[in-house]
Amino acid sequence: MEKLPLVVLISGRGSNLKAIIDAADPLVDIRAVISNRQQAKGLLYAKQAGIPTEIMAHTRFKTRIDFDTALQTRIDFYQPKLLILAGFMRILSPGFVAHYQGRLLNIHPSLLPAFRGLQTHQRVLESGIKEHGASVHFVTEDLDAGPVITQARVPVLPDDDEESLAARVLQVEHRIYPQAIHWFAQGRLQLQGQSVLLDEQTITFNKGD
Ligand code: GRF
């Protein structure tokens, strides 16, 4: 089977990038890692693995569209069939998202559609709910609202603080993101309108599962 060329966008720590690298999926070819922050620790994981890295500081661009256009040009230089957001802390413009429609994935630290946006662990603790988790989803124009591909649940324990809960969620993130990428590389995953098809069956996490 042909390897799936992919590009990963990061902004910081890069532990999900590391999990994808460590998965060493024989169906996956990580062509480049691009960060909008020069100090992103994740760049080191890419360098150690011999993957080309680029820094594209958003601060050098006047508008979001200017940045997204330049970013798109750099990404497309590597001709990826899948674009991976792994802790990329920039909102992407509709034109950018449309360009990568059906081949743009993100991981979010909550059981979507619950707790979109930032500070999910803190908000989960404040809410008193007993279950939390992570979701891999296709990116669409609406922030953190794209159709979910897979989720993993973790318990919220009585003694949890933000750090302990985040660490538990991160562990499952590192399992489900490489898994979703593997499905995509196998050609089993598809975005059809607002639905995700896995092996031609619709997956429905977004309906309050
Ligand atoms: C993760 O919690 C991910 O769910 C969210 O941003 C964080 C990135 O962490 N989108 P890392 O940079 O992969 O360690």
Side-chain angles (χ1 to χ4, degrees):
M1 210 178 222
E2 218 178 290
K3 281 193 177 204
L4 176 79
L6 59 90
V7 168
V8 184
L9 303 186
I10 64 168
S11 296
R13 181 178 52 186
S15 70
N16 277 288
L17 166 67
K18 181 176 187 299
I20 295 163
I21 293 171
D22 290 350
D25 190 328
L27 293 182
V28 164
D29 174 21
I30 309 174
R31 294 251 172 108
V33 172
I34 303 177
S35 171
N36 65 315
R37 296 213 180 100
Q38 189 168 12
Q39 320 86 303
K41 201 182 137 207
L43 289 168
L44 295 177
Y45 297 129
K47 284 182 184 146
Q48 281 163 6
I51 299 165
T53 59
E54 294 199 19
I55 294 152
M56 294 233 6
H58 59 276
T59 46
R60 284 181 26 231
F61 296 85
K62 272 210 189 103
T63 66
R64 186 180 298 282
I65 302 280
D66 288 350
F67 172 67
D68 285 2
T69 305
L71 181 62
Q72 189 178 310
T73 303
R74 287 317 303 157
I75 293 167
D76 287 352
F77 171 79
Y78 296 99
Q79 301 186 314
K81 292 207 170 129
L82 184 64
L83 181 59
I84 296 294
L85 306 181
F88 186 64
M89 300 302 286
R90 299 285 307 163
I91 292 174
L92 297 163
S93 51
F96 182 99
V97 172
H99 179 72
Y100 297 104
Q101 196 197 0
R103 53 190 183 114
L104 178 54
L105 305 189
N106 184 40
I107 188 152
H108 182 77
S110 79
L111 295 170
L112 290 172
F115 299 100
R116 291 175 182 149
L118 298 174
Q119 263 117 32
T120 58
H121 309 304
Q122 184 193 325
R123 288 190 286 137
V124 163
L125 288 171
E126 282 164 9
S127 77
I129 56 163
K130 298 286 167 251
E131 198 174 46
H132 187 26
S135 309
V136 178
H137 64 97
F138 278 106
V139 176
T140 57
E141 264 192 44
D142 304 317
L143 188 67
D144 299 334
V148 172
I149 296 164
T150 183
Q151 292 186 326
R153 293 161 188 271
V154 301
V156 181
L157 301 178
D159 293 342
D160 268 335
D161 57 16
E162 227 180 296
E163 202 182 322
S164 61
L165 186 56
R168 194 172 309 120
V169 171
L170 209 54
Q171 268 188 1
V172 297
E173 290 186 29
H174 297 164
R175 176 166 54 78
I176 64 175
Y177 216 178
Q179 173 70 78
I181 293 168
H182 187 65
W183 288 337
F184 196 96
Q186 289 176 311
R188 297 169 58 190
L189 203 55
Q190 251 183 303
L191 177 68
Q192 200 173 75
Q194 284 300 306
S195 304
V196 176
L197 302 187
L198 178 63
D199 295 335
E200 282 152 37
Q201 307 281 332
T202 307
I203 306 183
T204 49
F205 284 104
N206 279 0
K207 301 214 169 87
D209 184 352

